[in-house]
Amino acid sequence: MVTRKPVPYETTLLVRDTCLCLHVQRAARTLARRFDDALRPVGMTSGQFSLLMSLNRPEPPTMKSVAELLAMDRTTLTAALKPLVRRKLVRIAIDKEDRRSRRLILTDEGEALLSAAVPIWKREHAAIERALPRGGDGLRKDLLALT
Amino acid sequence: MVTRKPVPYETTLLVRDTCLCLHVQRAARTLARRFDDALRPVGMTSGQFSLLMSLNRPEPPTMKSVAELLAMDRTTLTAALKPLVRRKLVRIAIDKEDRRSRRLILTDEGEALLSAAVPIWKREHAAIERALPRGGDGLRKDLLALT
DNA sequence: ATGATTTGGATTGATATCAACCTAAAAAGC
DNA sequence: GCTTTTTAGGTTGATATCAATCCAAATCAT
């Protein structure tokens, strides 16, 4: 004889109310949508903003370091770069010192687009911090502890 | 004459250190990977776990209500259901009262798989809460405020 | 009632995500 | 030196994500 409801409903409620993976995914989707909407006028998604911004350094970073910074898989980064390279916002160059590595170079067009996005980010981000009862610092600490 | 570096490096550091969208995305990726790894032995991803668990109710929910609960687009839910329906873990039935709506029904196989996943979730989630300096409550509050 | 609007989903197209597997280059061991 | 191992990325295949668009059913307005 097979048990009909092997998972009690209370467990479902417990997961729904406490699961941090679920809560973080929900917040991630909501925030991404919000920034996607805000950045749409300049033709950029939230993920592309984070990626382009991470390339704005004195020394162009390697793919590995960017993937680690964004906590994403290296192959995800490869895919994410394709539309940016196609739009000539990013250029990929083989590292002179280590020919396995690729340097990710923000082009002038990429810089210009990023520049247009910065005030949008500032406005949106300030609004989000205001919505948090205790500001963003505690949240950032917790999120860093998870990474 | 075109300005060379329209976005100051300090802005990049500010975004990297404070952007909640970025921090939440990073944590979301890291947590998803962690639960994906833990749940792999039972053949389920973290997202599929959340989805299947949300179907374990006395009354099978509609797609709209599940999409809202998970804060995901309705079309994302349509896509996410396909592999689950194919594996016969979920069955989709037209609502009797409103023929536009679909009721998502957890099958016996779905229940069995979910049942196998619950102890894994409990173990993993307890470990994550332990890693948070102030426990998960503050984090959950903040994440809810963002959604 | 009946025509207009709203609502629940599906489809298509683009990007995002990662596992599994592959290649090439650098580093380590001998 | 030369072989083995490690490391940086790429490719493929599957699922995830959402915008834009469409369809059908329910609701609203008159």
Side-chain angles (χ1 to χ4, degrees), chain A residues 3-144:
Chain A
T3 309
R4 290 277 186 72
K5 278 285 180 188
V7 180
Y9 187 45
E10 290 70 36
T11 302
T12 297
L13 297 179
L14 179 69
V15 170
R16 173 166 77 197
D17 293 338
T18 68
C19 183
L20 286 169
C21 187
L22 174 56
H23 277 72
V24 171
Q25 297 295 333
R26 285 163 42 107
R29 293 188 191 108
T30 304
L31 278 181
R33 265 195 297 268
R34 179 165 182 168
F35 276 92
D36 285 351
D37 288 346
L39 291 169
R40 188 161 299 124
V42 294
M44 195 188 306
T45 66
S46 58
Q48 291 173 336
F49 174 77
S50 296
L51 175 48
L52 289 176
M53 186 61 84
S54 75
L55 306 185
N56 184 54
R57 310 185 194 182
E59 179 80 7
T62 62
M63 290 187 59
K64 179 179 171 59
S65 68
V66 172
E68 280 171 358
L69 172 64
L70 303 179
M72 64 166 54
D73 196 272
R74 298 186 312 263
T75 69
T76 303
L77 179 56
T78 299
L81 284 169
K82 287 191 175 174
L84 301 179
V85 170
R86 195 186 317 139
R87 292 170 64 188
K88 300 196 189 305
L89 305 175
V90 175
R91 198 164 54 81
I92 302 180
I94 292 178
D95 189 302
K96 298 296 179 192
E97 324 276 293
D98 183 342
R99 295 179 51 205
R100 296 170 302 182
S101 291
R102 306 284 185 274
R103 295 282 172 179
L104 302 180
I105 302 158
L106 193 61
T107 65
D108 288 349
E109 293 100 313
E111 277 182 27
L113 197 65
L114 189 58
S115 180
V118 166
I120 297 175
W121 176 81
K122 283 187 174 165
R123 187 182 338 121
E124 206 65 26
H125 197 259
I128 286 169
E129 293 244 13
R130 273 198 302 277
L132 287 175
R134 290 159 299 179
D137 285 339
L139 176 54
R140 270 185 289 270
K141 271 198 191 63
D142 283 334
L143 292 173
L144 277 177

Side-chain angles (χ1 to χ4, degrees), chain B residues 107-128:
Chain B
T107 65
D108 288 348
E109 292 100 313
E111 277 181 28
L113 198 66
L114 188 58
S115 179
V118 166
I120 296 175
W121 175 81
K122 283 188 174 164
R123 188 182 337 121
E124 206 65 27
H125 196 259
I128 287 169

